[in-house]
Amino acid sequence: MQVFTQKRNPITGSTEWDVQHEDYDYHREIARSAFADMLHDTERNQKYYRALKLAIDKQHSEGKKANVLDIGTGTGLLSIMAAQCGADSIVACEAFKPMAECCLKILEQNGVADKIIVIPKRSTDLTVGEDGDMKQRANILVTEVFDTELIGEGALSTFSHAHKHLLEQDCIVVPDSAVIYAQVVECSTLQKWNKLNDVVDDYSQVMLRTPQKMKDCAGSAAVHDIQLSQLPRTDFKEVSEPIPVFYYDWSGKTPIDMKRTVKQKFSITNTGHAQMVFMWWDLNMDTEGKIVLSCAPWWCHPDTNFSSERPQDTIPWRDHWMQAVYYLPIEIQVEKDAEVSLVSCQDEYSLWFYLEDENTKYKHHKRPICECGVHMTLSRTHVSYLNDTGRNSKLLRQLKNDVSSDTTLLSLNGSDLLVLAVAKSIKKVYVIENMSINIGILTDYIKENDLENVEIIPEATDAILNEVTNVFCNPNFSSAILPWENLKVAYLLYSYKEKLNANVSIIPDGCEFWGMPVEFQDLHKIRIPLNECEGIKMASFDSLVERSRTISDCELEAQPMWEYPCWSRGEPRRLLDVDLRALQPTAVADGVFSIVDNNDSSHTINGFAVWVVWRVGGANLSAGPLTPPTVGQRVTWDMHTRQAVKILQSSREVSGSAQWRYQIACDLRQGQFDIAIDWVQ
Ligand code: SAH
Ligand code: ZN
C-alpha cells in the first residue's frame, strides 16, 4: 500500500509530503543493511560451520542429543548448517519479522523446513516448557549478534539472558569467547575527524580561533567505524602494541559484566602523540581456541602476507565488521619506554578509553558526551572537511581576492567557518542558518574571535539581498549526504536571482558532475545477489533485497570511496555543468559513452562512481578523485567527502564496443535532482 509520509528535501531544506510504500522504512533498512556482505563473508561462514560441527559432534560423542538454539537466525544460515551437521533439534529465533518470514521460505527451498522451528521473536521473549516456544533448554547456542564494536547490537544482554533462561548449564556456545584489542596511535589524518582546528592561512597564522570549549570537548560517544586497513601506512604511528583489553566468555562459565572499567599499564613503543585508540576484536569460535576469526587491520592480522606489495589485500575483506577509532579526551605527548595506563571502559552497548600518565589523571572515567554542539550536529566527515587545509586555502585565496573593506557578504552555508575567518577585513557578514544548535556553534566562534559584524539570519530578506555585494557558499552542507544535495547552493541562488544586484560576486563559479565506470575491489559485495551461500540456496533473500531496493529507491548511495579501493574502467566523463552565475531553472543532460578507448582488452566493471568538482576562481576543488584517474589504474579519492556510487547487480566483462549511458534532470525551482546511470544493454 502507498501512504503519505513526510520527507526532508536536502536541497530545499524543507519538509515535503511524499507518497511511499507503507513499509518504506523497513525496506530501506533491508536495502541498506550489511546482510548481503555478511553472507558473502566466507571466512565467517566457514568458521561458524566448523565450530558448529565440533559442538554437535562433541555432544553426540558424550551420548547426548544436540539441541541447538540459533539466536538471530536472519536467513537461517546457521540453523541450516546445524541441520547439515546432524543436530537433533533446532530452534531459530529472529527479532526482525521480514527476515523471519524470509527465513521460512529459505528453509522450504532448501528442504529443511521440517528440521527447524522458526520463532519470530527476540530471544529475550522466548518461553521454555511444554507449551513454550522451546520444549526444553538447548545445549548448543549458535549466534552472531556482533557489530564492529562487538557489543553494540546488545550481545551482552542476549547472552546473559540466554544462559539464565534458555540454555543448559554445560552447554557449548559458538562462538565460545571474544577478545577486544586496543592499540594507542598517533594519526594526524584521523585527528582531523574529531575536533575542529583553528582556521589558518598559508603561513600557518591563525585566522579564526576555535572556542576553547570545542577544543576541550570530550567528543562524540558514537563509534567511528572505519576500514582501517585502507589508511595509508605513512599516516599513522603506533605508540603501543595491540593490548587485549576485554575478554568475553560467551560460554556461560563466568558471568557477563554489563559495566566495567579496566586499567592496564604498558610501555610506550614509539615516541609520539597518543591521540586515539584503534580497536578490533577476535572471536574464538570453538572451546579449544583452534578456530579464531580476527577483525584486526592488516598490520596486526594473523593471516597477512607481509611480503605482498599490498599486504592490506591479503586478509579477508568485510564491511559488516570493520575497526573502530576512539579519540582520547586529551592528546598526550609520550616518550618511548615510558609507563602509562590505558583505561578501558565498557557499558552494555559501547566502549570508550582514557590514557593516563604521571601528569594526566582523570577524576572520573565517564562515557564521553559532547558539550560543545559540534559532535552532535556535524558528521565526522564534515568535521574533517572543515579541517582540510588544502581546500580551505584555495577557497580562502579566492574569498580574500574578492572582498574588500566595503564588502557585504552573504554566506549560504551555516556550517562553514571561512566567512568568519575573513569577517574582520570586511564591512558586514550575513550567515543564513536556522538550526539552533548550528547557531550556537556560530555564536561561540563569533564571541571567541570578537567578531562584531557577523549576523546570523534565518533567511535572506529582500533588504539584505539588496545590500549584498558578495555571495559565498562553502559547497558542502552538513545536511548533504549525496554529492548533488549540495546543489542547495544553486537552489538558493536561483531563488535570490531577481533580488541580488546584477554585479554581485559569487563563489564558487559553478560545479561539474562527473561519472566513471569502475571495478570495485570489494565494495560490490555489500549489494550483489548471493544466489547461494555455502551451498545453501538464498534466492528468497535476494528477491527480498531486490524488492526493498526498488521500493526504497536506493539506486545510488553515498560511500567514502577512499575506504573502498577500485580501478578506473573507463574515462571519467563530465555529466553536467552548473554555472552558478548564469543559473537556468532546469537542466537536463544525457549521453552515451564508450567504455574502452583505443584498448581492446576486456575488463570487469561492477559499478559507477559519481562526484562533483567545484570551480573556484581558476582552481578545481574535487570532491572525488584527487588526481585525474587513468583507465586501468587505482583511483585516489578525497578523504573529506563522500561520493555517490551505483553498485551493479552483477559484474560484467566488457571490451571494445561496450557503452554506458546517463541521464540527469535537475529542477532548481523545486529543488529536485534525478540521476540514472547504467549500461547500454
Ligand atoms: N545468524 C545469521 C544472521 C546474523 S545477523 C547469520 O549468521 O547469517 C544478526 C541477526 O540477529 C539480525 O537479523 C538481528 O535482527 C537478529 N538479532 C539480534 N539480536 C537478537 C535477539 N536477541 N533475538 C533475536 N534476534 C536477534
Ligand atoms: Zn563536542
Side-chain angles (χ1 to χ4, degrees):
M1 204 185 107
Q2 304 273 299
V3 291
F4 281 101
T5 43
Q6 281 194 319
K7 206 171 121 188
R8 224 182 64 81
N9 178 330
I11 298 179
T12 62
S14 57
T15 306
E16 296 167 358
W17 287 99
D18 198 9
V19 186
Q20 284 176 342
H21 192 279
E22 61 177 335
D23 294 326
Y24 180 85
D25 283 345
Y26 94 61
H27 285 296
R28 225 181 108 88
E29 187 174 336
I30 293 171
R32 284 261 184 261
S33 77
F35 247 96
D37 156 57
M38 173 183 82
L39 293 164
H40 281 290
D41 184 346
T42 310
E43 184 198 18
R44 180 197 83 114
N45 300 343
Q46 293 181 352
K47 287 185 171 168
Y48 263 94
Y49 182 91
R50 281 167 56 204
L52 245 178
K53 177 103 179 63
L54 285 177
I56 292 167
D57 289 350
K58 181 142 190 268
Q59 297 297 22
H60 284 165
S61 73
E62 291 174 8
K64 295 183 205 159
K65 296 224 152 166
N67 298 317
V68 175
L69 170 63
D70 172 6
I71 294 182
T73 195
T75 57
L77 176 77
L78 303 179
S79 286
I80 299 174
M81 287 179 173
Q84 291 170 342
C85 295
D88 299 277
S89 77
I90 304 165
V91 173
C93 72
E94 173 52 56
F96 188 40
K97 297 257 165 13
M99 275 314 299
E101 280 161 29
C102 176
C103 173
L104 286 173
K105 289 189 200 146
I106 292 173
L107 300 187
E108 199 70 51
Q109 218 171 25
N110 288 280
V112 287
D114 57 331
K115 296 203 171 83
I116 299 159
I117 298 168
V118 179
I119 301 167
K121 279 188 183 174
R122 237 197 115 67
S123 61
T124 44
D125 297 328
L126 289 180
T127 54
V128 182
E130 216 24 64
D131 303 321
D133 300 314
M134 301 165 70
K135 296 273 163 294
Q136 68 218 330
R137 286 179 176 238
N139 62 3
I140 294 175
L141 170 65
V142 64
T143 185
E144 199 272 73
V145 287
F146 310 110
D147 65 353
T148 292
E149 222 177 357
L150 187 70
I151 58 173
E153 280 177 15
L156 296 183
S157 58
T158 296
F159 278 103
S160 259
H161 173 273
H163 282 296
K164 244 182 240 149
H165 302 283
L166 310 173
L167 298 169
E168 286 182 9
Q169 197 138 40
D170 59 348
C171 63
I172 303 173
V173 179
V174 179
D176 175 74
S177 59
V179 183
I180 287 185
Y181 290 91
Q183 183 168 38
V184 185
V185 298
E186 169 182 308
C187 177
S188 57
T189 304
L190 278 175
Q191 191 70 344
K192 284 194 195 148
W193 263 253
N194 183 32
K195 284 184 190 180
L196 288 173
N197 297 331
D198 294 340
V199 178
V200 294
D201 66 12
D202 289 347
Y203 309 99
S204 301
Q205 293 297 310
V206 175
M207 295 180 71
L208 186 75
R209 272 192 317 276
T210 297
Q212 200 57 37
K213 82 177 203 201
M214 291 177 196
K215 292 183 173 166
D216 293 343
C217 181
S220 168
V223 63
H224 184 186
D225 51 355
I226 181 171
Q227 292 282 3
L228 271 186
S229 286
Q230 298 308 324
L231 195 62
R233 187 64 188 90
T234 45
D235 282 20
F236 65 97
K237 173 160 92 176
E238 304 98 311
V239 301
S240 84
E241 296 288 343
I243 304 168
V245 293
F246 289 125
Y247 177 80
Y248 295 87
D249 179 3
W250 305 133
S251 77
K253 293 187 183 65
T254 46
I256 291 172
D257 286 330
M258 293 292 165
K259 211 170 161 59
R260 49 181 164 162
T261 300
V262 175
K263 199 182 243 191
Q264 287 160 293
K265 264 207 173 125
F266 69 93
S267 297
I268 294 294
T269 55
N270 260 318
T271 296
H273 295 88
Q275 293 175 323
M276 64 198 73
V277 166
F278 287 171
M279 180 285 261
W280 64 88
W281 46 260
D282 284 2
L283 287 180
N284 299 311
M285 301 303 296
D286 60 317
T287 51
E288 288 169 33
K290 285 187 186 145
I291 308 169
V292 180
L293 186 155
S294 175
C295 292
W298 68 269
W299 64 91
C300 293
H301 199 284
D303 301 333
T304 305
N305 176 0
F306 286 91
S307 58
S308 160
E309 203 179 303
R310 282 179 56 91
Q312 67 270 45
D313 295 343
T314 63
I315 58 172
W317 183 89
R318 50 175 67 94
D319 205 45
H320 60 116
W321 296 326
M322 297 184 233
Q323 295 79 32
V325 179
Y326 299 85
Y327 299 91
L328 294 168
I330 299 179
E331 169 177 333
I332 305 181
Q333 160 87 41
V334 288
E335 298 293 324
K336 187 169 171 6
D337 299 327
E339 286 256 302
V340 299
S341 297
L342 180 65
V343 183
S344 309
C345 311
Q346 171 235 294
D347 65 12
E348 196 176 335
Y349 297 99
S350 59
L351 308 169
W352 61 96
F353 298 88
Y354 286 82
L355 192 75
E356 299 190 337
D357 67 2
E358 47 196 37
N359 303 317
T360 317
K361 301 260 191 276
Y362 293 89
K363 288 198 204 77
H364 67 78
H365 297 119
K366 286 192 193 136
R367 183 163 190 236
I369 38 168
C370 170
E371 283 169 355
C372 75
V374 169
H375 304 94
M376 285 186 266
T377 178
L378 300 182
S379 69
R380 293 197 206 279
T381 312
H382 198 83
V383 170
S384 89
Y385 176 91
L386 294 176
N387 284 334
D388 179 13
T389 45
R391 186 177 343 234
N392 285 351
S393 154
K394 288 181 187 153
L395 283 164
L396 275 171
R397 204 170 305 152
Q398 191 59 28
L399 190 51
K400 282 192 211 158
N401 192 50
D402 272 23
V403 298
S404 69
S405 53
D406 294 331
T407 296
T408 298
L409 182 67
L410 174 66
S411 164
L412 306 182
N413 183 353
S415 47
D416 158 66
L417 299 175
L418 303 181
V419 288
L420 303 184
V422 298
K424 282 207 166 134
S425 57
I426 62 184
K427 193 165 101 196
K428 177 85 191 177
V429 178
Y430 291 105
V431 181
I432 302 181
E433 179 58 66
N434 38 40
M435 262 179 60
S436 61
I437 186 158
N438 294 355
I439 293 173
I441 293 169
L442 288 169
T443 309
D444 287 336
Y445 268 98
I446 290 168
K447 273 196 207 131
E448 175 76 24
N449 294 277
D450 303 318
L451 305 176
E452 284 164 1
N453 60 344
V454 179
E455 192 177 329
I456 304 163
I457 52 172
E459 57 188 3
T461 60
D462 291 0
I464 291 174
L465 290 173
N466 186 40
E467 194 189 324
V468 162
T469 57
N470 294 61
V471 178
F472 177 78
C473 184
N474 195 330
N476 190 13
F477 289 87
S478 60
S479 54
I481 296 169
L482 288 154
W484 44 87
E485 293 174 359
N486 289 308
L487 281 177
K488 185 173 179 179
V489 51
Y491 168 79
L492 289 174
L493 280 173
Y494 184 75
S495 68
Y496 301 153
K497 205 173 161 177
E498 304 301 322
K499 313 269 172 56
L500 284 166
N501 293 309
N503 54 355
V504 69
S505 147
I506 297 170
I507 301 175
D509 307 286
C511 65
E512 297 163 7
F513 286 88
W514 286 74
M516 177 174 72
V518 296
E519 178 179 358
F520 297 112
Q521 189 171 300
D522 301 294
L523 184 64
H524 56 294
K525 293 177 199 156
I526 69 173
R527 301 283 174 255
I528 56 171
L530 289 157
N531 299 319
E532 286 198 353
C533 177
E534 300 302 310
I536 297 162
K537 298 186 199 88
M538 290 285 175
S540 304
F541 172 75
D542 289 338
S543 46
L544 173 70
V545 173
E546 184 48 33
R547 205 168 97 82
S548 294
R549 274 170 66 107
T550 317
I551 289 172
S552 63
D553 192 23
C554 292
E555 270 270 279
L556 281 106
E557 58 186 289
Q559 292 286 353
M561 291 293 287
W562 73 269
E563 292 186 57
Y564 302 102
C566 73
W567 293 272
S568 163
R569 291 298 184 217
E571 293 289 339
R573 303 290 189 171
R574 187 163 54 198
L575 311 182
L576 179 73
D577 198 311
V578 179
D579 183 350
L580 292 180
R581 290 165 179 185
L583 281 172
Q584 299 304 313
T586 57
V588 283
D590 56 41
V592 174
F593 303 114
S594 293
I595 296 285
V596 189
D597 298 341
N598 305 325
N599 183 347
D600 52 11
S601 64
S602 81
H603 296 306
T604 300
I605 295 181
N606 53 24
F608 294 94
V610 175
W611 65 91
V612 60
V613 175
W614 295 91
R615 287 195 305 266
V616 176
N620 283 335
L621 300 185
S622 171
L626 291 183
T627 50
T630 309
V631 180
Q633 305 284 308
R634 288 176 188 276
V635 188
T636 314
W637 298 94
D638 176 28
M639 292 175 90
H640 306 289
T641 54
R642 288 167 187 240
Q643 294 72 37
V645 299
K646 167 155 175 164
I647 299 170
L648 295 169
Q649 287 294 288
S650 54
S651 58
R652 283 208 6 190
E653 287 297 317
V654 291
S655 63
S657 58
Q659 291 179 317
W660 59 284
R661 63 174 176 83
Y662 80 99
Q663 275 184 312
I664 291 178
C666 173
D667 184 338
L668 292 181
R669 293 163 308 193
Q670 313 290 328
Q672 295 294 336
F673 185 95
D674 290 299
I675 176 167
I677 188 163
D678 212 336
W679 295 107
V680 175
Q681 294 297 340

